[in-house]
Amino acid sequence: MDLMIRYHDGPGMGSPAAIIEYFGGHLQETKEGGGLVSCNGYLSRDGQVKPEVINADLWREIGWDPAKQELPPPAMLRELSMGYDLHGNKLTVGRGLFRQPKEALITLPAEVSQSLKDHPEIAREVLRATVAAHLAEVERQAIRVRVGGGNREWQEARTLSLFYIHAENRGGEVHYHAHTLTFAPAKATDGTWRSWDNGQNVAMLSKKGGSREKATDAMLSAARGHGLEVDLRRGVAAKAPGQVQGATVKGLDGHVIEAGSLDRKRRVEILAAQELKRE
């Protein structure tokens, strides 16, 4: 099946202080770093996980230069969540005062992760390509603009997005994934700042030509470009009940991992929690 891309608001990101805590805690701590901690440039000088950014020029414009300051400053996270940059300029209007960043969790198939357990640098490159494809689709229809006659249309805009790559799930199993976070301000093609609207991307997420399909295409291309043979059934898992999930992967060492053959403790825990919630 196509990649899992799951939007959520991040655990406890309901206030500026909570956002700062989430960044400084789960996102930047090395608990899920696995083999990535040995990769060049993965950790900051003080041993925390560094984010990767898109549109670095926009981040510099609002007051943070990732090339000079490795981790996003807490003051910037606080101001951005209120619609301001670090210079005190208001970037967004309307929709209330506080807007937390939207998080999309993008996870590689378990079999791909397992085959790359001893190749974290390749896994990072695969996820970079995957995230780039997803965010390109996010930005393609990122704002709604009035065009006259009471009508609006979706238009392209550049976003303040960054992502953290982790190597393990919370159960300590190798499972490469990326936390992508996009803040509310977005810069339109005319140079004005507007409020990012993810509605169209979410509506199209699992449809033909949506970001799930395009991110999966990018993942497959990048993995194959690094020597993996990956075969998976395309489509959305929810629309194929009873079908084998995952991917069949022939790794760099020639070892084949069949789709659905991995027993994931974390997956069992999630399913059990969902069942308890239904009860």
Side-chain angles (χ1 to χ4, degrees):
M1 297 291 114
D2 285 358
L3 290 176
M4 185 192 81
I5 300 179
R6 180 167 58 90
Y7 273 101
H8 63 105
D9 293 329
M13 285 205 297
S15 70
I19 291 171
I20 293 171
E21 182 178 355
Y22 183 53
F23 271 74
H26 179 70
L27 295 178
Q28 292 173 185
E29 66 185 11
T30 59
K31 185 177 180 180
E32 296 181 3
L36 287 169
V37 299
S38 63
C39 293
N40 181 47
Y42 182 70
L43 298 180
S44 65
R45 285 182 290 273
D46 61 354
Q48 297 185 72
V49 178
K50 293 193 303 185
E52 303 196 28
V53 305
I54 66 166
N55 302 324
D57 60 313
L58 294 188
W59 288 103
R60 289 192 295 270
E61 182 178 334
I62 61 115
W64 173 47
D65 187 348
K68 296 179 180 179
Q69 189 174 4
E70 297 176 306
L71 302 175
M76 183 198 70
L77 298 175
R78 179 179 61 250
E79 294 302 314
L80 270 182
S81 69
M82 305 299 286
Y84 292 86
D85 66 14
L86 267 176
H87 309 300
N89 301 309
K90 182 67 172 172
L91 302 178
T92 60
V93 294
R95 298 191 176 215
L97 186 60
F98 170 73
R99 285 187 67 189
Q100 65 192 60
K102 285 294 183 181
E103 178 176 2
L105 185 66
I106 302 177
T107 307
L108 294 184
E111 298 83 4
V112 174
S113 288
Q114 188 64 40
S115 69
L116 293 175
K117 178 180 180 180
D118 298 323
H119 304 279
E121 190 59 66
I122 294 177
R124 182 161 66 158
E125 289 300 321
V126 171
L127 266 173
R128 282 171 172 165
T130 304
V131 170
H134 166 68
L135 290 177
E137 188 63 18
V138 168
E139 294 192 335
R140 188 175 67 84
Q141 300 181 96
I143 56 175
R144 295 184 70 192
V145 179
R146 290 186 177 91
V147 293
N151 298 316
R152 292 188 176 191
E153 68 178 18
W154 292 97
Q155 293 185 4
E156 178 183 356
R158 301 170 71 212
T159 62
L160 290 166
S161 297
L162 49 75
F163 58 97
Y164 292 83
I165 295 177
H166 292 167
E168 297 177 351
N169 61 28
R170 295 189 180 186
E173 301 161 316
V174 59
H175 211 159
Y176 293 100
H177 60 279
H179 297 264
T180 74
L181 297 106
T182 300
F183 287 85
K187 199 160 195 179
T189 55
D190 64 3
T192 60
W193 286 98
R194 296 177 178 270
S195 293
W196 170 56
D197 191 326
N198 199 34
Q200 183 70 352
N201 174 57
V202 171
M204 292 294 297
L205 182 66
S206 299
K207 295 180 180 179
K208 182 70 175 176
S211 62
R212 189 191 304 273
E213 178 183 284
K214 292 183 177 179
T216 303
D217 289 342
M219 181 274 293
L220 290 171
S221 178
R224 291 164 180 164
H226 283 284
L228 274 70
E229 296 181 20
V230 183
D231 181 33
L232 56 75
R233 184 189 300 272
R234 300 302 301 267
V236 181
K239 297 180 180 179
Q243 298 290 332
V244 174
Q245 308 299 311
T248 296
V249 181
K250 184 177 181 180
L252 301 180
D253 59 359
H255 177 66
V256 176
I257 303 175
E258 297 291 342
S261 64
L262 296 177
D263 183 18
R264 291 292 187 183
K265 175 184 176 183
R266 180 61 181 160
R267 174 65 176 167
V268 172
E269 292 173 345
I270 292 173
L271 291 175
Q274 291 173 342
E275 187 63 29
L276 286 173
K277 186 176 181 179
R278 283 193 290 268
E279 292 177 358

Coordinates of all heavy atoms in Angstrom, one line a residue, residues 7 92 95 99 102 137-145 152-159 182-187 194-203:
Y7 N -1.9 13.2 9.4 CA -1.9 14.5 10.0 C -2.4 14.4 11.4 O -3.4 13.8 11.7 CB -2.8 15.5 9.2 CG -2.0 16.1 8.1 CD1 -2.1 15.7 6.8 CD2 -1.2 17.2 8.3 CE1 -1.5 16.3 5.7 CE2 -0.5 17.8 7.3 CZ -0.6 17.4 6.0 OH 0.0 18.0 5.0
T92 N 0.2 36.9 9.6 CA -1.1 36.4 9.2 C -2.3 37.2 9.8 O -2.0 38.0 10.8 CB -1.3 34.9 9.8 OG1 -1.1 34.9 11.2 CG2 -0.2 34.0 9.2
R95 N -8.6 34.1 11.7 CA -8.5 32.7 12.2 C -8.1 32.6 13.7 O -7.5 31.7 14.1 CB -7.6 31.9 11.4 CG -8.0 31.7 10.0 CD -7.2 30.7 9.3 NE -7.7 30.5 7.9 CZ -7.8 29.3 7.3 NH1 -7.3 28.2 7.9 NH2 -8.2 29.2 6.1
R99 N -2.3 29.8 16.4 CA -2.4 28.7 15.4 C -1.2 27.8 15.5 O -0.1 28.2 15.2 CB -2.6 29.2 14.0 CG -3.9 29.8 13.6 CD -4.0 30.1 12.2 NE -4.0 28.9 11.3 CZ -3.9 29.0 10.0 NH1 -3.7 30.1 9.4 NH2 -3.9 27.8 9.3
K102 N 0.9 22.5 11.9 CA 0.3 21.2 11.5 C 1.4 20.2 11.3 O 2.4 20.5 10.6 CB -0.6 21.3 10.3 CG -1.9 22.0 10.5 CD -2.8 21.2 11.5 CE -4.2 21.8 11.6 NZ -5.0 21.0 12.6
E137 N 3.6 19.1 -2.9 CA 2.1 19.1 -3.1 C 1.4 20.0 -2.2 O 0.4 20.6 -2.5 CB 1.6 17.6 -3.0 CG 0.2 17.4 -3.4 CD -0.1 17.7 -4.9 OE1 0.9 17.8 -5.7 OE2 -1.2 18.0 -5.3
V138 N 1.9 20.0 -0.9 CA 1.3 20.9 0.1 C 1.3 22.4 -0.4 O 0.4 23.1 -0.3 CB 2.0 20.8 1.4 CG1 1.6 22.0 2.4 CG2 1.7 19.5 2.1
E139 N 2.5 22.8 -1.0 CA 2.6 24.1 -1.5 C 1.9 24.5 -2.8 O 1.7 25.6 -3.1 CB 4.1 24.5 -1.6 CG 4.9 24.4 -0.3 CD 6.3 25.0 -0.3 OE1 6.9 25.0 -1.4 OE2 6.7 25.5 0.7
R140 N 1.6 23.4 -3.5 CA 1.0 23.7 -4.9 C -0.3 24.3 -4.7 O -0.7 25.1 -5.6 CB 0.9 22.3 -5.6 CG 0.5 22.5 -7.1 CD 0.5 21.2 -7.8 NE -0.5 20.2 -7.3 CZ -1.8 20.2 -7.7 NH1 -2.2 21.1 -8.6 NH2 -2.6 19.4 -7.2
Q141 N -1.1 24.0 -3.7 CA -2.4 24.6 -3.4 C -2.5 24.9 -1.9 O -3.1 24.2 -1.2 CB -3.5 23.6 -3.8 CG -3.5 23.2 -5.3 CD -4.6 22.3 -5.7 OE1 -5.6 22.7 -6.2 NE2 -4.4 21.0 -5.5
A142 N -1.8 26.0 -1.6 CA -1.6 26.3 -0.2 C -2.4 27.4 0.4 O -2.5 27.6 1.6 CB -0.1 26.6 0.1
I143 N -3.0 28.3 -0.5 CA -3.7 29.4 0.0 C -5.0 29.5 -0.8 O -5.0 29.1 -2.0 CB -3.0 30.7 0.0 CG1 -2.4 31.0 -1.4 CG2 -1.8 30.7 1.0 CD1 -1.7 32.3 -1.6
R144 N -6.0 30.1 -0.3 CA -7.3 30.4 -1.0 C -7.3 31.9 -1.2 O -7.2 32.7 -0.2 CB -8.5 29.9 -0.2 CG -8.5 28.4 -0.1 CD -9.8 28.0 0.6 NE -11.0 28.2 -0.3 CZ -12.2 28.1 0.1 NH1 -12.5 27.8 1.4 NH2 -13.2 28.3 -0.7
V145 N -7.5 32.3 -2.4 CA -7.5 33.8 -2.8 C -8.8 34.2 -3.5 O -9.3 33.5 -4.3 CB -6.3 34.0 -3.7 CG1 -6.2 35.5 -4.1 CG2 -5.0 33.6 -3.1
R152 N -13.4 32.1 -4.8 CA -12.0 31.9 -4.4 C -11.4 30.7 -5.1 O -12.1 29.8 -5.6 CB -12.0 31.6 -2.9 CG -12.4 32.7 -2.0 CD -12.1 32.4 -0.5 NE -12.4 33.5 0.4 CZ -12.0 33.5 1.7 NH1 -11.4 32.5 2.2 NH2 -12.3 34.5 2.4
E153 N -10.1 30.8 -5.3 CA -9.4 29.7 -5.9 C -8.1 29.3 -5.1 O -7.6 30.2 -4.4 CB -9.0 30.0 -7.3 CG -8.0 31.1 -7.5 CD -7.6 31.4 -8.9 OE1 -8.4 31.0 -9.8 OE2 -6.5 32.0 -9.2
W154 N -7.7 28.1 -5.3 CA -6.5 27.7 -4.6 C -5.3 28.1 -5.4 O -5.2 27.9 -6.6 CB -6.5 26.1 -4.4 CG -7.5 25.6 -3.5 CD1 -8.8 25.1 -3.8 CD2 -7.4 25.6 -2.1 NE1 -9.4 24.8 -2.7 CE2 -8.7 25.0 -1.6 CE3 -6.4 25.9 -1.2 CZ2 -8.9 24.8 -0.3 CZ3 -6.7 25.7 0.2 CH2 -7.9 25.2 0.6
Q155 N -4.3 28.6 -4.7 CA -3.1 29.1 -5.4 C -1.8 28.6 -4.6 O -1.9 28.2 -3.5 CB -3.0 30.6 -5.5 CG -4.1 31.2 -6.4 CD -3.9 32.7 -6.6 OE1 -3.0 33.3 -6.1 NE2 -4.9 33.3 -7.3
E156 N -0.7 28.6 -5.4 CA 0.6 28.2 -4.8 C 1.1 29.2 -3.8 O 0.9 30.4 -3.9 CB 1.6 28.0 -6.0 CG 3.0 27.6 -5.6 CD 3.9 27.5 -6.7 OE1 3.4 27.7 -7.9 OE2 5.1 27.3 -6.5
A157 N 1.8 28.7 -2.8 CA 2.5 29.5 -1.9 C 3.6 28.8 -1.2 O 3.6 27.5 -1.2 CB 1.6 30.1 -0.8
R158 N 4.7 29.5 -0.8 CA 5.8 28.8 -0.1 C 5.6 28.8 1.4 O 5.1 29.8 1.9 CB 7.1 29.5 -0.5 CG 7.4 29.5 -2.0 CD 8.5 30.5 -2.3 NE 9.8 29.9 -1.9 CZ 10.8 30.6 -1.5 NH1 10.7 31.9 -1.4 NH2 11.9 30.0 -1.1
T159 N 5.9 27.7 2.0 CA 5.6 27.6 3.4 C 6.8 27.6 4.3 O 7.9 27.4 3.9 CB 4.8 26.3 3.7 OG1 5.7 25.2 3.3 CG2 3.5 26.2 2.9
T182 N 4.4 22.4 9.6 CA 4.2 23.6 8.8 C 3.5 24.6 9.6 O 2.4 24.3 10.2 CB 3.4 23.2 7.5 OG1 4.1 22.3 6.7 CG2 3.2 24.5 6.6
F183 N 4.1 25.8 9.7 CA 3.4 26.9 10.4 C 2.5 27.7 9.6 O 2.4 27.5 8.3 CB 4.5 27.8 11.0 CG 5.3 27.2 12.1 CD1 6.4 26.4 11.9 CD2 5.0 27.5 13.4 CE1 7.1 25.8 12.9 CE2 5.7 26.9 14.5 CZ 6.8 26.1 14.2
A184 N 1.6 28.5 10.2 CA 0.5 29.2 9.5 C 0.9 30.1 8.4 O 0.3 30.2 7.4 CB -0.4 29.9 10.5
P185 N 2.0 31.0 8.6 CA 2.3 31.9 7.6 C 2.8 31.3 6.3 O 3.6 30.3 6.3 CB 3.4 32.8 8.2 CG 3.2 32.6 9.7 CD 2.8 31.2 9.8
A186 N 2.3 31.7 5.1 CA 2.8 31.2 3.8 C 3.0 32.4 2.9 O 2.2 33.4 3.0 CB 1.8 30.2 3.3
K187 N 4.0 32.4 2.1 CA 4.3 33.5 1.2 C 3.8 33.3 -0.2 O 4.2 32.3 -0.9 CB 5.8 33.8 1.2 CG 6.1 35.2 0.7 CD 7.5 35.7 1.1 CE 7.6 37.2 0.9 NZ 9.0 37.7 1.3
R194 N 0.4 35.3 3.7 CA -1.0 35.0 3.9 C -1.1 33.8 4.8 O 0.0 33.3 5.3 CB -1.6 34.6 2.5 CG -1.7 35.7 1.5 CD -2.3 35.3 0.2 NE -2.4 36.4 -0.8 CZ -3.5 37.1 -0.9 NH1 -4.5 37.0 -0.1 NH2 -3.5 38.1 -1.8
S195 N -2.3 33.4 5.1 CA -2.5 32.3 6.0 C -2.6 31.0 5.2 O -3.4 30.9 4.3 CB -3.8 32.4 6.8 OG -3.7 33.5 7.8
W196 N -1.7 30.0 5.6 CA -1.7 28.7 4.9 C -3.0 28.0 5.2 O -3.5 28.0 6.3 CB -0.5 27.9 5.4 CG -0.5 26.5 4.9 CD1 -0.5 26.0 3.7 CD2 -0.4 25.4 5.8 NE1 -0.5 24.7 3.7 CE2 -0.4 24.2 5.0 CE3 -0.3 25.2 7.2 CZ2 -0.3 22.9 5.5 CZ3 -0.2 23.9 7.7 CH2 -0.2 22.8 6.8
D197 N -3.5 27.4 4.1 CA -4.8 26.6 4.3 C -4.5 25.2 3.7 O -4.2 25.1 2.5 CB -5.9 27.2 3.5 CG -7.3 26.6 3.8 OD1 -7.3 25.4 4.0 OD2 -8.3 27.3 3.8
N198 N -4.5 24.2 4.5 CA -4.2 22.8 4.1 C -5.4 22.0 3.6 O -5.3 20.8 3.4 CB -3.5 22.1 5.2 CG -2.7 20.9 4.8 OD1 -2.1 20.9 3.7 ND2 -2.7 19.8 5.6
G199 N -6.5 22.7 3.5 CA -7.8 21.9 3.2 C -7.8 21.2 1.9 O -8.2 20.0 1.8
Q200 N -7.3 21.8 0.8 CA -7.3 21.1 -0.5 C -6.3 19.9 -0.5 O -6.6 18.8 -1.0 CB -6.9 22.1 -1.6 CG -6.9 21.5 -3.0 CD -8.4 21.1 -3.5 OE1 -9.3 21.2 -2.7 NE2 -8.5 20.8 -4.7
N201 N -5.1 20.1 0.1 CA -4.2 19.0 0.2 C -4.8 17.8 1.0 O -4.6 16.6 0.6 CB -2.9 19.4 0.9 CG -1.9 18.3 1.1 OD1 -1.5 17.6 0.2 ND2 -1.6 18.1 2.4
V202 N -5.4 18.1 2.1 CA -6.0 17.0 2.9 C -7.1 16.3 2.1 O -7.3 15.1 2.1 CB -6.5 17.5 4.3 CG1 -7.4 16.5 5.0 CG2 -5.4 18.0 5.1
A203 N -7.9 17.1 1.4 CA -9.0 16.5 0.6 C -8.5 15.6 -0.5 O -9.2 14.6 -0.8 CB -9.9 17.7 0.0

